[in-house]
Amino acid sequence: MRASQFFIATLKEAPTDAEVVSHKLMTRAGMIRKLAGGIYSYMPVGLRVIRKIEAIVREEMNRAGAIELLMPLVQPAELWQETGRWDKMGPEMLRVKDRHDRDFIIQPTSEEVVTDIARGEIHSYRQLPKNFYHIQTKFRDERRPRFGVMRGREFTMKDAYSFDRDEAGAEKSYQAMYAAYVKIFERLGLTFRAVRADTGAIGGSLSHEFQVIADTGEDLIVYCPDSDYAANIELAEALPLVAERAAPGTAMQKVATPDTIRCEDVAKLVGLPLERTVKSVVLATDTPLGAEVWLLLVRGDHDLNEVKAGKLPGLEGGFRFASEQEIIEHFGCPPGFLGPLNTKKPVKVVADRTVANMSDFVSGANEIGFHIRDINWGRDLPEPDLIADIRNVVAGDPSPDGEGKLAIQRGIEVGHVFFLGTRYSAAMNCTYLDETGKPRTMVMGCYGIGVTRLVGAAIEQNHDERGIIWPASIAPFTLVICPVGWGKSEAVREAATKLYEDLLAAGIDVMLDDRDERPGVMFADWELIGVPHRVTIGDRGLKEGMVEYQHRRDKEAAKVPLTEIAALALQKACT
Amino acid sequence: MRASQFFIATLKEAPTDAEVVSHKLMTRAGMIRKLAGGIYSYMPVGLRVIRKIEAIVREEMNRAGAIELLMPLVQPAELWQETGRWDKMGPEMLRVKDRHDRDFIIQPTSEEVVTDIARGEIHSYRQLPKNFYHIQTKFRDERRPRFGVMRGREFTMKDAYSFDRDEAGAEKSYQAMYAAYVKIFERLGLTFRAVRADTGAIGGSLSHEFQVIADTGEDLIVYCPDSDYAANIELAEALPLVAERAAPGTAMQKVATPDTIRCEDVAKLVGLPLERTVKSVVLATDTPLGAEVWLLLVRGDHDLNEVKAGKLPGLEGGFRFASEQEIIEHFGCPPGFLGPLNTKKPVKVVADRTVANMSDFVSGANEIGFHIRDINWGRDLPEPDLIADIRNVVAGDPSPDGEGKLAIQRGIEVGHVFFLGTRYSAAMNCTYLDETGKPRTMVMGCYGIGVTRLVGAAIEQNHDERGIIWPASIAPFTLVICPVGWGKSEAVREAATKLYEDLLAAGIDVMLDDRDERPGVMFADWELIGVPHRVTIGDRGLKEGMVEYQHRRDKEAAKVPLTEIAALALQKACT
């Protein structure tokens, strides 16, 4: 591609609403232009990156035996009613009425349509397994779209859906997709981690997220440097930090803690380590007999994990935080001084595994301005109703596999593989006839990759103060030739054009900057856009038969004989 | 591709709602599955054809200097309000409100968004000309979607938009796109015709449609076999068929024509040729002073051309057919016996060029059951208020370029190039600074190709009773290998696999049917799907060292030595 025939639209300034570096750089590099909140036009540079990602995803999906089709964007409500998601999906699903007043949705995902296709087309066990995928535009009406393409409303996703005869088959399909995803993210040149993830309300038994590691990521990834344990924070198991309950010490004692609410402050005031305090979180469930109030206890330096809480028997149906009125009614005290002792009305007490093994601990006294220290289970209050893992792990926690200590890093979720089971196939009566002629429900999996989000994630992971640094496999151009004095020097034009044509003929995705701009302008543009390899050709160097080569990560350019540059560039661009 | 790893979903029966052969064959060949009216999933076979069409379109667009980007599907109402199309577009534009109750549309086309991009990015004459295109999903909520993908609601279109400094530049861009379109449709292997088309309300000065010739087409194409004149029927100029008005003959005379309404029947009853009769069409316009009634006269064997009528001075603002009440009020008679003589109230009379030169003609008497014969302009009634070309041409009419007689054939519109002028750029203030620093409005063109409609059009043009016959460039597979006895014969498996691998290595898009089906099943499937080349390998032939080759259009297979089949297949598949 010649720059004069391309559209370069770099900007000095990032948009004021850009919070993250990828949003800033994508706008400045002329990759995207905002059309509305969370809706972007992909400019020529941006589209090239998307197409390269799509090509790699497509190749590996096909290699793994998945079959590409294309399901519509506008989908009839009836299918979504069959699975109950028409009611369950909130306002993030865009709904629309056609001219005949019939209900449609703009697809946020395609489980319903693909299951409808499978039940129509697959009749016999001989046709299974099958894995269908498409790379298609999606729309999710995020309440607060942000981070550019990372949490946009209109985006491109690759979504695949496997259909199997039974659970064993579906697990094989899942593993094949897992392996394909590893290959895909490796080929994209990204540092990533596959982590166990929560299966949520869908109720499948297996789920992994693929996380691109980046300090700016929204997700917390828990892993063990000494083993292959990795999970997202929602799922990572927290072991008890106190192995056994020590014998109680002195009698418990009420202490005045005026205006002191946070565990850190109470610990300081009382003169005890934070690890001796217990934090109270009050939840409520709405039952036919009225609200039921729960007291969840975690150690003062820990945080409640709401996903784990949502799996407790009695809370799986959904819970909310208790209202101030409910708290006063049950504890006789507003939030800030709550604890398990002397509640006004009975509440269900759940202790985290660590809390359950603590002795001589501190908690609120259920009285404004007071806490109680040296509380002991059994001696001062009954054993908790329930002991469970209800906290987030923290760095340094023992790894659940017993292999060392956990570390935590940030990531951006770019892929998800999910064992669905029969959640959709049962609801939609998607069956096949087995070897004995008996109808059986197909077992499904679904597998997503956020194509446009990947663009942002790759930048979050690969950039510096000058701009983007693309992994070679997804760079908008692999190599740029910057001729200094294009308009003036016949020799420069000739050398640059020859190199351009040689590399083009060799199949390299090369850009010739024939705009006749000053070197500073050219360098700034291509460093911002992030082309990995650059060859600079100028009159001064040519007189000595030399040109310059520089990788985007190199601090300085290296002089290379003109006669060797094509071979060198080819070698660099292909590795 | 191996059939066992692909998804073949052929059907014996066509859907009952399929009216045209492409809809029937696309469904039977497993290319599409209907999700809702005018909304289809593209199954694996169908998607392959789409991707091949897209690749050819993309290559030629890039070659012509156009630059690919990707504009969003969901577009904010504000931009459409700027150009007035928010109000002008009818219910065929799908409108949607987001969760914040803001108005959006699902794009039917992208003039507004691309003009918004141009005004944001293009500031100087030095950046012009530019031509941006994308290949993107569109939605038009057709009142009556039909003909499968030919008049669907959700479809894929390539739309390009050129921006130029002035009209001369814009015309060059137009010609470049015209030339690219010719190349594209040639490469697609389709018989087509580029025809002048009406520029409609947009008011540009130049427009061509690209029509795929097919007997089942909805459009009528007028052309001159002796010259390069070609236009669609809306635009094709009808010359007067009577060169000069002959002198009046006998006095006019009222004749009883009870229950005789159609010109053909009146002519027969009166004993005159149809060419002596005149047909009356009554239109109305709504003015601030009330409805105005127009009488348009065409010869009895001709039809009114509404597009031409819409260009008459006084009708450009829009017109409708008059109501029966308006007709009775103005003519004193219901439809069936209307004419220009003795109207009850004055009406505006427009005579087609041919009618204006007729003598001794017959028209309704404005009295139930009566016509008048031997009417003459000037003698029996005043000259018409207006003489104009208001009829459709018919086959045999003189060509407007004076080079011979016109012929008419049917076509399917698959492309359209359109000189837009400043219709959008002026409304949206899309300007650039010229050499003198003065702001000037950009001059635009727009250029569409219906990608998914092309799939249907190609089939309408290329099929037989057994199924589709793909042009090689867009066939889902170029060549299929049908091994007879795959499951039984090691020799067959070996020979078929070797040929498959050789052709694959040579870059041929080859399908190996390893399903172990009977020859009849294989042949029927691949003939229905329309793969152009087929090689059949069986034990009986192999014993003599022979295999069979057959083109989809061939009546019989030819025996070819196994040793020569790879070379032959390669040669066939590449030509």
Side-chain angles (χ1 to χ4, degrees), chain B residues 296-307:
Chain B
L296 276 72
L297 302 173
V298 296
R299 204 170 71 177
D301 57 335
H302 290 156
D303 286 317
L304 180 71
N305 181 314
E306 293 178 36
V307 173

Side-chain angles (χ1 to χ4, degrees), chain B residues 144-195:
Chain B
R144 202 188 143 206
R146 55 192 171 144
F147 304 154
V149 300
M150 299 239 281
R151 191 169 289 282
R153 295 200 285 176
E154 183 172 325
F155 57 97
T156 303
M157 199 167 105
K158 185 284 299 171
D159 37 329
Y161 306 89
S162 64
F163 295 87
D164 274 275
R165 300 183 194 181
D166 49 31
E167 297 232 335
E171 249 169 66
K172 260 194 210 163
S173 295
Y174 183 97
Q175 296 305 342
M177 279 297 102
Y178 184 103
Y181 274 36
V182 168
K183 264 198 199 162
I184 287 168
F185 294 115
E186 280 174 359
R187 283 187 62 187
L188 294 176
L190 299 174
T191 305
F192 68 97
R193 208 178 269 282
V195 306

Side-chain angles (χ1 to χ4, degrees), chain B residues 350-529:
Chain B
V350 184
D352 179 61
R353 288 163 166 185
T354 296
V355 170
N357 283 356
M358 284 166 70
S359 308
D360 299 332
F361 61 85
V362 181
S363 87
N366 291 327
E367 189 181 338
I368 292 179
F370 290 92
H371 280 74
I372 301 177
R373 55 172 292 175
D374 300 323
I375 308 174
N376 282 277
W377 296 108
R379 187 188 74 178
D380 306 320
L381 78 176
E383 292 292 334
D385 297 310
L386 210 58
I387 298 170
D389 170 17
I390 57 170
R391 70 172 175 96
N392 287 333
V393 299
V394 292
D397 275 0
S399 177
D401 63 4
E403 296 290 329
K405 288 183 173 181
L406 293 178
I408 295 184
Q409 60 189 175
R410 289 196 162 269
I412 300 163
E413 188 193 339
V414 290
H416 203 148
V417 292
F418 211 106
F419 185 95
L420 282 176
T422 57
R423 158 79 178 86
Y424 294 92
S425 46
M428 294 182 67
N429 197 26
C430 179
T431 61
Y432 68 98
L433 297 179
D434 70 8
E435 293 89 331
T436 68
K438 223 179 62 182
R440 293 182 60 181
T441 304
M442 296 184 210
V443 183
M444 292 173 60
C446 72
Y447 317 95
I449 289 182
V451 173
T452 38
R453 178 183 280 192
L454 259 169
V455 180
I459 295 173
E460 292 291 333
Q461 193 177 77
N462 300 281
H463 66 271
D464 62 15
E465 67 291 348
R466 288 174 293 157
I468 303 165
I469 308 172
W470 288 110
S473 61
I474 56 175
F477 300 98
T478 308
L479 185 144
V480 59
I481 301 170
C482 293
V484 178
W486 174 266
K488 283 186 227 148
S489 165
E490 177 73 29
V492 164
R493 274 201 303 279
E494 217 168 76
T497 306
K498 177 155 188 343
L499 179 61
Y500 172 66
E501 283 168 358
D502 287 351
L503 295 178
L504 212 58
I508 303 297
D509 191 3
V510 59
M511 159 60 74
L512 173 62
D513 192 341
D514 59 354
R515 293 178 295 166
D516 197 26
E517 289 282 6
R518 286 177 298 109
V521 172
M522 286 193 284
F523 295 170
D525 275 351
W526 298 115
E527 285 177 353
L528 176 56
I529 291 171

Side-chain angles (χ1 to χ4, degrees), chain A residues 221-225 229 231 393-397 399 405-409:
Chain A
I221 304 167
V222 179
Y223 67 102
C224 175
Y229 182 84
V393 299
V394 293
D397 275 0
S399 177
K405 289 183 172 182
L406 293 177
I408 295 185
Q409 60 187 175

Side-chain angles (χ1 to χ4, degrees), chain B residues 50-60 135 187:
Chain B
I50 290 178
R51 294 280 185 250
K52 291 199 178 180
I53 293 175
E54 287 178 352
I56 290 174
V57 169
R58 186 173 280 128
E59 259 184 50
E60 294 301 332
I135 301 179
R187 283 187 62 187

